[in-house]
Structures are given as structure tokens and as C-alpha cells.
Amino acid sequence: MKPTLVVLAAGMGSRYGSLKQMDAVGPCGEAIIDYSIYDAIRAGFGKVVFVIRHLFEKEFKEVFSAERFGGKIEVEFVFQELDYLPEGFTVPEGRVKPWGTNHAVMMAAPVVDTPFAVINSDDFYGHEGYQVLGDYLRSVEGKKGAYSMCGYYLKNTLSDFGSVSRGECSVDAGGNLTGMVERLGIERQKGPWACACGKSREAGEVTYKDEEGLHPISEDCIVSMNLFGFTPDYFAESERLFKVFLSDPANLANPKAEFFIPLAVNSLISEGKASMKVLSSAAKWFGVTYKEDKPDVVAKIRALVDAGVYPENLWGK
């Protein structure tokens, strides 16, 4: 069995300012997606499913076609759009924001029938992350609710140029996830700051932001970078939970409410329908959230190429 890789590429890069999924960071014009696919192929994945939008379908397909990868992996494209909702539901008036990461995952259901991994298109996870996740996915073929993820220390996932969003994870003694909270507006404070509790705090602390204001968060906590592994039953469970989400008047009234992956995973764990193994990996994460991040990413990939981790020309063309 060869697991499937689902790439969440429907985001338009609003903070970055362009289609960062296609931006060249490698020595021969490779995008971060290219390195993700290369690592997935080495880890034994047999198919990649790109979740994109019709708005940039032509441009995306022209770049990331099956021919680009030399026929080494099967390629499928699916679409995430605001009005792709379960029967009986419609888009609330004034809603323009997409429905979130788990809605994007759901779009892959028609073309995925194996255990599968989920990644962000603009995150570089490293080969080992794909290998440990691929090995685990092969071990749970035919099972239900046997989910997994690779976790990272928060301090290794920050941007120097703005805030980021991360899923803060709680893990039990057996290495299983007990809860995941989506934290928004995470950044290291460059000067004194005021906590939502009213206390003055010192510069250098890492914080997240919610409607109440700023809160401290440990830089050594484990966070999710959307490197997840699921068995195919996750699609049906997500459909069920998405209907619950859409039936909540508070979510419909909030134009920014999103159906995040952590929301679905937490629900299934609390219901006893699934477990999520937090896999250990020495893989290093880096990514492009803002344009200012790009030079650092280019330099890090150059170093990996010089070290022989990747070839100079990834696809040999």
C-alpha cells in the first residue's frame, strides 16, 4: 500500500502577497511544494492530491503537472470553494472567508481511498517527517481512527516578520494527543507588552492573541504544523462534524469562523472514535509566511543541496 499525500494549496497567500505556493526557492526554480513531493516519493507515497481553487487552476496546473514529477507519483486536483457545502446548507450572507483547513481536507474525499497525509503547501517539513508518517500510515492500513501527526517545538516555527497560527498540542505519557488548540497571532514580542489579564510583561516572550488580547505561550510547547496522517474514515467523520459546525448559529453569524483540523480531531478524540499518535522526528521545519521569509528559506535549501540532501536540479530537467 502506498499512502496518499494531500497538499492544502487553496490559500491565496494574502499576507505573502502572491501565489507563494508557486514561488521559486530552489536553485533551479523549485518551489517548496517540489521538495515536499520529492520527499514524499522517497518515503513511498504513491499519489499527491492538490487542493486548489478554480481562480488559479490554469496557472497551478501548468506548473505542477504529473509531467513535472517525471511520472514518479500520481497527481490529482480537487477544489475548495466557499459554496462547496453539504446538502441543505448555503453560504451565509456576507461570508467571504474560506471554511478552513478541515473543509479543504474534505474536498479530497472522492479521490482518496488509502491512509493519507495532509500538509500545507508553503511549509518545508524535511524528509524524516514524511518517512516516519509514511511508515505509520502503512502500519494502520485497514484500521479506523488511527490518526497521527508530527509535532514541532513552537520556538522553531516562528517568523521574524509577523504573526503565525499554530495548533498547541497536549500529549499524554503514551505519546497520544489529548487536545489541540488553535492559537492565532503568535509572535515574539520585541518590547514590553500588556497581557490580557492586565499585567505588564517583558520583551522576548512569545504570545498568542484572541478577542481578549495577548496571552503568553511557552516557546517549548509542541505545536502542529498541519503535518497529519489519517485513515480514510476521517472523511465521513469530518462531513458529520462539519454539519454540526454549520448548524451552530454562532458559527454562521461569525464571518471568520473556520472549521479547522484541530476542531475535528479534538471532537473525535473526545468522542472516543479516534486516537492521534504524536510521532517524534528530528525533521526541521521552515516556511514562507511573509515575503521577508523567502531569503532565509532560499539559504536553508541551498545549504541542504550543498550538503547532498537534495540534488542541485530536483527533477533533473
Side-chain angles (χ1 to χ4, degrees), residues 7-22 33 50-56 60 79-81 97-98 100-101 104 119-122 258:
V7 181
L8 306 186
M12 290 300 295
S14 58
R15 290 174 296 181
Y16 186 70
S18 65
L19 281 177
K20 58 182 174 179
Q21 300 94 330
M22 301 164 65
I33 287 177
F50 291 111
V51 184
I52 60 175
R53 294 181 62 190
H54 289 292
L55 182 64
F56 55 86
F60 197 93
F79 301 92
Q80 181 189 22
E81 300 293 348
K97 189 175 181 63
T101 51
I119 66 167
N120 290 334
S121 62
D122 53 353
E258 294 186 57

Side-chain angles (χ1 to χ4, degrees), residues 1 8 29 36 69 84 88 106 117 125 175 217 263 267-268 272 298-299 307:
M1 189 279 296
L8 306 186
S36 298
F69 309 122
Y84 287 10
M106 291 166 58
Y125 296 101
I217 183 172
L263 178 62
S267 295
L268 294 174
V298 171

Side-chain angles (χ1 to χ4, degrees), residues 14-207:
S14 58
R15 290 174 296 181
Y16 186 70
S18 65
L19 281 177
K20 58 182 174 179
Q21 300 94 330
M22 301 164 65
D23 208 7
V25 294
C28 292
E30 297 91 347
I32 286 179
I33 287 177
D34 285 302
Y35 290 93
S36 298
I37 304 307
Y38 185 87
D39 283 335
I41 292 170
R42 290 198 290 175
F45 285 75
K47 179 193 287 189
V48 57
V49 178
F50 291 111
V51 184
I52 60 175
R53 294 181 62 190
H54 289 292
L55 182 64
F56 55 86
E57 175 184 1
K58 182 176 182 294
E59 296 94 325
F60 197 93
K61 285 184 173 181
E62 284 177 351
V63 176
F64 298 112
S65 64
E67 289 74 23
R68 181 180 184 88
F69 309 122
K72 296 178 180 179
I73 193 167
E74 184 181 350
V75 178
E76 297 268 11
F77 298 92
V78 296
F79 301 92
Q80 181 189 22
E81 300 293 348
L82 194 59
D83 59 349
Y84 287 10
L85 299 174
E87 186 176 353
F89 293 92
T90 58
V91 179
E93 185 177 354
R95 174 89 191 197
V96 295
K97 189 175 181 63
W99 293 105
T101 51
N102 209 62
H103 179 249
V105 172
M106 291 166 58
M107 300 302 100
V111 296
V112 176
D113 58 6
T114 68
F116 63 97
V118 175
I119 66 167
N120 290 334
S121 62
D122 53 353
D123 288 338
F124 185 99
Y125 296 101
H127 169 66
E128 187 176 344
Y130 292 94
Q131 191 65 60
V132 297
L133 198 57
D135 289 345
Y136 188 84
L137 291 173
R138 280 183 284 271
S139 76
V140 297
E141 182 184 12
K143 298 181 180 179
K144 290 185 177 182
Y147 306 155
S148 51
M149 63 167 282
C150 286
Y152 295 80
Y153 290 111
L154 176 59
K155 62 186 176 184
N156 293 332
T157 74
L158 301 175
S159 169
D160 292 329
F161 304 103
S163 64
V164 296
S165 299
R166 302 288 183 253
E168 182 183 7
C169 301
S170 300
V171 184
D172 66 19
N176 293 305
L177 186 76
T178 57
M180 183 164 36
V181 180
E182 190 76 9
R183 301 298 191 192
L184 308 179
I186 299 174
E187 59 185 334
R188 190 180 298 278
Q189 294 298 320
K190 295 180 172 60
W193 58 283
C195 180
C197 66
K199 294 183 179 180
S200 297
R201 307 290 291 242
E202 297 298 321
E205 288 189 273
V206 179
T207 65

Side-chain angles (χ1 to χ4, degrees), residues 204-217:
E205 288 189 273
V206 179
T207 65
Y208 70 90
K209 187 175 183 180
D210 61 15
E211 294 178 351
E212 297 177 353
L214 297 176
H215 305 265
I217 183 172

